[in-house]
Amino acid sequence: MNRSAVTEFLLSGFSDDRDVQILHFVVFLSAYSIGVLANVCIIITVALNSHLHSPMYFFLVNLSFSDVCYISTTVPKSMATSLTNNKLISFAGCAAQVFLVVTFVTCDFALLTVMAYDRYVAICHPLQYRLIMNRDLCIQTAAASWILSGLHGILQTSLTLSLSFCKSNIIEQFFCDIPQLLKLSCTDTAPHQMLILVLGILDSFCFVFIFVSYGFIISSVLKISSTQDRHKAFSTCTPHLTVFSLFIITAVFSYMRPKELASPTIDLLSAVLYTVLPPVLNPIIYSLRNKAIMEGVLKISKKFKHFIA
């Protein structure tokens, strides 16, 4: 079977048992609802509270929007598959999923890198914060994150789906995942592996940048004499550091775990970790660990209750 003959793929899903399919639908619907509502809540809260119109929350809004798009790329299709037991996905649909997943994952990572720089400037150079993190820089860095992520998505998608698929059209995953597609290819995947290596090197620079930024942040915070001020400085960083750690842990487990832990079931579960868990937990982490966000949410909820009363 060559690429020209492939017009659709089959997603393996979680189970052929109807009870398990219904359970899968209910669990994914709950996670999707929480993820979308929580992220939209953050976007609305920041938009309606003028005291949250600062660089940190501007990037948080971008992250929340990316997470809404990210979880909407894979979860609704998976829920529909479980509900209807129709595992087919068209070639164009598969290409769209690959592009969108790569784009939003890359955008999340880029935004988390920019947010680390924002925290570095805020804590290490507080007197110059407004000057450095000005409106133009914020817009330019956010735009660059989205544009470069889109270009990355286009490159990965075009390279992956230009392969010939002759082994099978069954994808052992609940969405079109690049590693699973590469397993179906009967073409040389060396160019794709080279691209992954190059991108991995670029990603490593982002890792180093974030770790170095937090090295300076921790060093500066420890020099603060007041325990209360030290705690306040740390509290502005812990949500970002927690979200970044979640992002890294899920990605490492999904793509760098030992071969001994590789199996179709573990592949499915690990995919849930990096496609569903971060978009659901990110807004919760920021809400619970950020007093300003919590106050903004409570303020809006009171207005809403007063409006409907």
Side-chain angles (χ1 to χ4, degrees), residues 195-213:
L195 174 63
I196 292 175
L197 177 62
V198 172
L199 293 173
I201 294 173
L202 294 176
D203 288 343
S204 67
F205 284 115
C206 292
F207 284 127
V208 171
F209 179 84
I210 291 173
F211 287 132
V212 170
S213 295

Side-chain angles (χ1 to χ4, degrees), residues 84-190:
T84 63
N85 203 28
N86 181 8
K87 300 179 180 180
L88 291 175
I89 183 170
S90 66
F91 191 90
C94 189
Q97 273 200 337
V98 170
F99 167 72
L100 293 172
V101 167
V102 172
T103 297
F104 295 129
V105 168
T106 306
C107 191
D108 272 14
F109 187 47
L111 289 170
L112 287 170
T113 303
V114 175
M115 291 169 80
Y117 177 70
D118 172 76
R119 291 300 82 206
Y120 161 75
V121 176
I123 292 175
C124 297
H125 303 283
L127 299 179
Q128 297 176 292
Y129 180 71
R130 292 291 180 182
L131 180 64
I132 297 174
M133 298 302 296
N134 56 67
R135 178 184 175 86
D136 289 342
L137 180 65
C138 291
I139 294 174
Q140 289 167 5
T141 51
S145 298
W146 284 101
I147 292 170
L148 292 176
S149 299
L151 292 174
H152 180 197
I154 292 172
L155 183 60
Q156 285 277 26
T157 305
S158 59
L159 190 59
T160 301
L161 296 179
S162 65
L163 300 172
S164 295
F165 301 102
C166 59
K167 295 179 180 179
S168 171
N169 70 335
I170 300 175
I171 300 174
E172 294 183 354
Q173 193 54 271
F174 66 91
F175 68 99
C176 287
D177 195 20
I178 289 179
Q180 298 299 329
L181 286 168
L182 294 181
K183 291 180 181 179
L184 306 181
S185 173
C186 55
T187 318
D188 181 22
T189 58

Side-chain angles (χ1 to χ4, degrees), residues 13-14 20-36 71-83 97 173-175 267-277 280:
F14 287 88
V20 177
Q21 289 176 337
I22 297 299
L23 177 62
H24 163 229
F25 174 81
V26 171
V27 171
F28 265 41
L29 178 61
S30 301
Y32 182 67
S33 300
I34 293 171
V36 171
I71 197 171
S72 298
T73 300
T74 58
V75 174
K77 172 60 179 176
S78 181
M79 289 191 296
T81 299
S82 291
L83 200 61
Q97 273 200 337
Q173 193 54 271
F174 66 91
F175 68 99
D267 286 345
L268 283 169
L269 294 176
S270 66
V272 172
L273 286 180
Y274 72 87
T275 58
V276 180
L277 209 59
V280 171

